[in-house]
Amino acid sequence: AVVSTQSTGGMLRQKIKEESLRTYMFTYSACYDSISPMVLSKMFDLTNKQIHALISKMILNDELKASWDNITDLLILHRAESSKLQSLAKQTADKLTYVMDNTEKMLGQGTTFNSRGNAATALTWPNSVFGAGNGSQIMGIVGALGVPDH
């Protein structure tokens, strides 16, 4: 029974080290252009062979955008650029957050709304929020939210 407890403890320690490496790579890989497996080996008390195996598995599973440079024995990390759709979705989310914040401020100030859901007073939307020429596209969304256009 003592032997199985010790081996279970050893296996558990090994898994914790491996998952710690994986978590570290998920969290901090964007901070590196490259990193030595020897550095990771010292940080996580794993052998170079274990580091190579774990990182290679992450690369093959598309969990990490990286490649091995066999000449310098470095892990080269690749930057993942946002797609056009991702950047547009982020811009839209930021603009909708702005609209929601202003609506909440209006409600907090006691702005009255008529039966159609429009505010009795007009809101002005600066070009810095919607960008030149984009206001009409966003205003359709804003109108659907019941916020008046100007």
Side-chain angles (χ1 to χ4, degrees), residues 64-137:
L64 185 65
K65 301 295 182 201
S67 59
W68 289 107
D69 183 348
N70 294 327
I71 296 169
T72 59
D73 193 34
L74 290 174
L75 177 67
I76 309 298
L77 296 142
H78 308 290
R79 301 276 186 254
E81 297 296 322
S82 298
S83 71
K84 181 74 173 169
L85 179 61
Q86 288 171 324
S87 65
L88 288 173
K90 184 182 180 328
Q91 288 175 9
T92 302
D94 291 343
K95 291 172 185 178
L96 289 174
T97 299
Y98 179 85
V99 169
M100 288 177 20
D101 289 345
N102 279 331
T103 303
E104 289 173 0
K105 286 178 190 174
M106 286 176 53
L107 291 171
Q109 294 172 356
T111 303
T112 58
F113 287 85
N114 62 26
S115 61
R116 291 181 32 216
N118 294 329
T121 58
L123 275 177
T124 57
W125 306 104
N127 279 341
S128 64
V129 174
F130 295 113
N134 290 330
S136 62
Q137 296 169 353

Side-chain angles (χ1 to χ4, degrees), residues 44-77:
F44 297 98
D45 193 28
L46 295 166
T47 66
N48 272 359
K49 185 176 179 179
Q50 291 170 319
I51 297 290
H52 272 275
L54 289 166
I55 298 290
S56 295
K57 185 176 179 182
M58 290 176 73
I59 293 169
L60 288 173
N61 290 335
D62 284 331
E63 297 173 331
L64 185 65
K65 301 295 182 201
S67 59
W68 289 107
D69 183 348
N70 294 327
I71 296 169
T72 59
D73 193 34
L74 290 174
L75 177 67
I76 309 298
L77 296 142

Side-chain angles (χ1 to χ4, degrees), residues 130-146:
F130 295 113
N134 290 330
S136 62
Q137 296 169 353
I138 300 300
M139 293 319 293
I141 296 170
V142 172
L145 293 173

